[in-house]
Each structure stands twice: as structure tokens, then as C-alpha cells.
Amino acid sequence: MPAHFIAIAIGMVLDRLIGDPPNWPHPVKWLGTTISNLTKLLNKGRMRTIKGAILWLLICMTTFLLVIWLVSIAYRLHLIAGIAIEALLIAAGLAQKSLRDAAFVVYEPLKIGDVSEAREKLSWIVGRDTEKLDESEIARATIETVSENTSDGITAPLFWAFLLGAPGLWLYKAVNTLDSMIGYKDERYREFGKISAHMDDLFNWIPSRITGLLILLFTPNEGGHSFTQRMSGWLGDAKKHMSPNSGYLEAATAWQLNIQLGGRSTYRGVVSERAVLGPAVIANKEHIRSATYQMQVVSWTFWSLGTVIGGIFYAIA
């Protein structure tokens, strides 16, 4: 089996056990700083869509080629060195532990009835206003974040790692970071971030749908709905979401946990009405635990599926 499949397995274990220690340097921070500096330079004047496309190409290709260079040097030194460096790069690009920790930072205050503390901790991980949210709204926001980031932070990076190794994973991370920083539809980024937003949709199209299906197939069915009901609800609700990809994740989570996601949220004082997904059952704090468990099951199922399919292709080749 190709060495990068071994590196992916080691990377998964490292990410699950260690995650992203807060004091360690992280490549995403470097990406973010570079994107921010170049955005200040380019996002002005005329032809902003073209300038945004140039930024996208520059960041993504530089990241991809730099990781190819690092991994190639390591493998030339020794097979073990190559696997080790690639595994570290893969672990740095995954978010199992950090996503679980972020969810439980919100869950723990809710467990003891400290809604005010939960609101504050939630504000660390979401963009919506949290000051007036009650327990059910805090739970919903946390669950939506865990669900969406199961793909963005774990299965989509894995998908590109299986295809192209650590360089593929970090190509995806560059695409995703660009979208998170400039892929907005407001006046400032509407033109400049257009390419970044579209490319993120493209890179996430397949992983998001596979992840949603795996949620339905392999995680606990807490509502007792038949598979046919959940599949129909999933496919119908997913298309209501404003994002072409996030709906396939949140709708799957909603139907599998038998809860309602979506609805009204407020961002910087502006009310946003999103489509309602799933059965009409209000989420509570315990559903945060269920969503986190769901994320872990799907992450390892996705990795197992990728490893098996990769092994088959390798055997045939």
C-alpha cells in the first residue's frame, strides 16, 4: 500500500490523541497571515474578481508545491522520514480533537446550568450573536458547527489526502481558508472573494455528500425513523440550505438525531432566516454529545472506507 496511506493512518491517530496544542505553530495561521496581507494589497480598485482569482491561484499553488517539496525531500532521505513528515502534516490538517474539545467547552457549562458561560464559550466558535441565546439555541448552534465542520475539518481533508497525500490535504486547507477569510457576499468581498467561494464549493461537493450519507448509514438513529424516511428527509432538506454542501451535513445530522436545525439566527444584529431542517424536535444540551459522537464515528468510517478503496485500487494496479 502506498506510503501516504500509512501516513494518513498515523495522522488520524495523532490528531485524535494530540490535536492542535495551542502553543504550537500551525500552518493555517501562516496561511491566514499571508492571505490577509495579500488581500490588503489586492482588494481595491478595479478588476477585483481577477485579482481574487490571482490570489486564489497564488496561495493554493504555492501551498501545494511547497508541501510536495517538503514531502519529497523527506522521502528521499528515508522511507520512515517521509512517512513521519507526511503524517505530521496530515495530523496538522485534521480537526477531530479540536472540534470535540470546542463542542464540550460549550456543553460543560450547560450541564451545570450556566447558560451565560455557555454563551461566551459558544461565541469562540461561531459567527452568530450569542448574547441572548437560550439552551436550545446554544445547542443548535453548537450542533450545526460540529456537523458542518465534520466535513470541512476532517472528511474533506481526508478525501484530498487519499487522492494526493499531504499535498492534496494542504491544497484543500488553502482552498478552505481562503473561503473562510474572503468568500463572503458582502460589499467588501463580493467580487474579490467570488472565485474562492466557488472553488470551496467545488472542493467540498463530493466529500460533503459522502459524509452525509455515512451519517445516515453508520451513526445511531435516535428518532426511530426508517432509513427510507431519513433518506428522503435528508435529500429534501439538504437542497433547502443556502450552501450547496453544508445542507447535506446538517440535514443528515438533524434526521439522525431527530432534531430541528436551521431557522433564525442573528449576525452582528442582522437577522438571518435559514431553512428549517429535520423533524420538529427542539435540540437540547445532550444532543451536543450525540453530535460529537456522530462526528467521531463518521470520521473513522470515512478513513476506513478510503483505506479499503485505496487498497483495492493499489492491488488492481
Side-chain angles (χ1 to χ4, degrees), residues 5-276:
F5 279 77
I6 300 172
I8 291 171
I10 297 172
M12 280 286 287
V13 173
L14 288 175
D15 175 56
R16 179 65 185 85
L17 296 177
I18 300 173
D20 298 320
N23 296 324
W24 289 17
H26 198 285
V28 169
K29 294 179 182 177
W30 302 334
L31 271 174
T33 300
T34 304
I35 292 168
S36 179
N37 290 336
L38 289 175
T39 296
K40 292 176 184 176
L41 179 66
L42 296 172
N43 188 23
K44 55 188 176 183
R46 302 172 58 189
M47 300 189 297
R48 294 195 187 191
T49 301
I50 294 175
K51 291 176 181 177
I54 291 171
L55 173 66
W56 185 91
L57 191 63
L58 181 63
I59 292 293
C60 292
M61 289 302 97
T62 300
T63 301
F64 184 58
L65 294 173
L66 178 61
V67 179
I68 287 177
W69 178 71
L70 289 172
V71 171
S72 297
I73 288 177
Y75 276 110
R76 285 173 187 164
L77 291 173
H78 195 280
L79 178 62
I80 300 299
I83 291 173
I85 293 299
E86 189 166 24
L88 288 172
L89 286 167
I90 288 168
L94 299 175
Q96 293 175 86
K97 188 176 186 298
S98 59
L99 188 53
R100 179 191 181 280
D101 291 349
F104 271 80
V105 160
V106 178
Y107 170 77
E108 292 298 337
L110 285 180
K111 188 171 68 172
I112 60 174
D114 192 343
V115 176
S116 178
E117 179 74 8
R119 288 173 184 148
E120 180 182 350
K121 296 300 173 58
L122 177 64
S123 70
W124 298 356
I125 62 172
V126 300
R128 71 189 72 184
D129 300 336
T130 64
E131 295 85 0
K132 299 179 181 179
L133 301 185
D134 60 21
E135 178 185 316
S136 65
E137 292 169 319
I138 293 169
R140 173 170 69 87
T142 306
I143 293 162
E144 288 170 355
T145 297
V146 171
S147 179
E148 181 178 356
N149 283 287
T150 297
S151 179
D152 284 2
I154 306 166
T155 59
L158 278 176
F159 176 83
W160 290 99
F162 277 119
L163 288 180
L164 299 169
L169 182 148
W170 279 99
L171 171 61
Y172 171 80
K173 295 297 289 185
V175 171
N176 191 243
T177 304
L178 280 159
D179 177 64
S180 68
M181 293 185 67
I182 65 173
Y184 297 100
K185 294 183 180 179
D186 59 19
E187 188 62 31
R188 183 180 181 187
Y189 294 115
R190 183 176 292 112
E191 294 180 27
F192 188 70
K194 183 184 295 184
I195 297 300
S196 291
H198 286 320
M199 293 306 294
D200 186 72
D201 290 342
L202 180 63
F203 272 67
N204 279 294
W205 199 92
I206 294 175
S208 65
R209 285 153 178 79
I210 294 174
T211 304
L213 181 59
L214 293 180
I215 289 173
L216 294 182
L217 289 173
F218 292 102
T219 67
N221 172 18
E222 298 195 5
H225 301 288
S226 70
F227 181 74
T228 301
Q229 289 175 314
R230 287 178 285 124
M231 176 65 77
S232 176
W234 172 54
L235 293 175
D237 283 354
K239 297 171 185 176
K240 300 175 185 176
H241 200 284
M242 60 189 299
S243 165
N245 298 316
S246 296
Y248 286 89
L249 302 159
E250 293 183 22
T253 294
W255 279 97
Q256 206 68 0
L257 298 186
N258 191 41
I259 57 174
Q260 179 178 298
L261 297 179
R264 175 173 294 190
S265 299
T266 304
Y267 297 85
R268 297 180 183 178
V270 179
V271 175
S272 173
E273 292 284 355
R274 291 170 47 189
V276 173

Side-chain angles (χ1 to χ4, degrees), residues 282-316:
I282 303 301
N284 62 54
K285 61 180 178 294
E286 294 307 319
H287 289 117
I288 297 175
R289 291 175 59 91
S290 298
T292 305
Y293 178 71
Q294 183 185 90
M295 174 270 293
Q296 293 172 323
V297 170
V298 169
S299 298
W300 287 97
T301 303
F302 195 101
W303 168 77
S304 300
L305 183 64
T307 301
V308 169
I309 293 174
I312 292 172
F313 273 99
Y314 180 73
I316 293 174

